[in-house]
Amino acid sequence: MQDNQELAPDMSGGARAAPAADVGSGRIASLDFIRGIAVMGILAANIVAFGQPMTAYMFPGAFTVPHSEAENWMWVAQFVLIDGKMRGLFSLLFGAGMYLFLEKAWARGAGIWLQVQRLFWLGLFGLIHFFFIWRGDILFLYACAGLAALLFVGLSRRKQLVFGLLGYLGGALLYTASVGFLPLVADTDMGAQAGYAQLANELEQSKQDELADGRLETDLISSGRYAEWVHHNLTAHADGLPSSLFLFWFETLPLMLIGMAAYRYGLFDGRIASRQQRKWGWGLLLTGAVFTFPVALWAKSAGLTYYGTLAAMVGWSMGPRLLCVLGLVALLALWGRSAGGWLAARVSAAGRAAFSNYLGTSIVMLFVFHGWAGGLFGRLGRSELYLVMLAGWVLMLLWSKPWLDRYRFGPLEWLWRCLTYRRLFPMRR
């Protein structure tokens, strides 16, 4: 299909030529399956920051309990297999989902403003999540990046893919240039040289400020002072929202554009030959893992320092991470189309209710860890937190399918839909 046959409608919502998929055919099974894997994987990535200070997500030295040598190797495994990959899957799927939503809107004669309303409410959900439930929110970022992605929906799929890849690679270079050299200044004798001494002092002060904030956060949460914790979020961490936008902008927006292009090329609905998709999927995934593993080993051999782990996560691994994300989504799209049995059905159901599972998990963890409820914040090490993660997975798999067998939407999916369309939708099947 040539690019001039793939153009989206004008921004006022006119008819679209040659839709990439039949918008009346219902849900795409592989998208639900991948979302299910991603929302479970997001919990695996975030569980440390749910139960320990936020800085412990990357830096084991911020744990309030000892971090054993075995757990240092668990950090390596999580870095190679999970960190950034699940967020990347979510971002890519969000772009694909945006375009699918717009196709359905265009087919009904609606315009792009319906998607704008949808993103507005998502951003509001994100702000509530960030300030009142958990500071690791990604929904506000998705709302902002999604609004920017709307500027690209009228492009051909090829241009969306090219802009996405170039934007991501440009971001990888920017982030690596920004943080990749910091361990040399902070962790080696270079920081003692006259030209770098001031920077080394500033880096050390920034690190100590982050660790001090983590200690304060631990005190507020573990003692059950929820109102003070919310006030601390509102006063001390409101600037974290624009910082988060900068930190992930050149990852999230490009991946959304790649997701749009991938959907239009037929990655999720079988329009790419299975053998070719499988070959490329495994090739990209294994190549990305091969280049990620040495970064993890370097960070560990350097002692998993604050700036070493920062450089590894934000800088040096970003390029290989793209390969892993693209490989994963290609393989999971194949498996999602053919996966059968009770487990696949429950994973897909968790994906259909991914919004409810994402926010619902944060609410559950609020009760597990805050001092006014379960009181486990700061008490569990990495190994024990992984057990909490497994319990969270079981909960997702247990409730999602029975709920969706009875109701048309997940509870938060229903609320989001009602707010977007400004009318009530029936819930029961």
Side-chain angles (χ1 to χ4, degrees), residues 211-269:
L211 294 177
D213 184 78
R215 290 190 291 270
L216 175 58
E217 180 182 46
T218 300
D219 180 52
L220 294 175
I221 294 176
S222 60
S223 60
R225 290 140 65 189
Y226 176 77
E228 292 182 52
W229 175 73
V230 170
H231 181 265
H232 177 68
N233 287 341
L234 290 167
T235 56
H237 291 293
D239 61 350
L241 289 170
S243 299
S244 175
L245 288 179
F246 171 77
L247 185 60
F248 294 113
W249 187 261
F250 291 102
E251 174 189 89
T252 305
L253 176 57
L255 284 173
M256 288 182 180
L257 298 183
I258 294 171
M260 289 182 182
Y263 164 70
R264 298 174 70 190
Y265 272 109
L267 183 72
F268 303 105
D269 56 20

Side-chain angles (χ1 to χ4, degrees), residues 321-333:
R321 186 187 310 146
L322 176 62
L323 302 180
C324 291
V325 170
L326 294 178
L328 271 175
V329 77
L331 294 173
L332 290 174

Side-chain angles (χ1 to χ4, degrees), residues 181 184-185 187-197 200:
F181 73 99
L184 294 175
V185 179
D187 302 331
T188 72
D189 293 339
M190 179 184 290
Q193 298 176 16
Y196 297 99

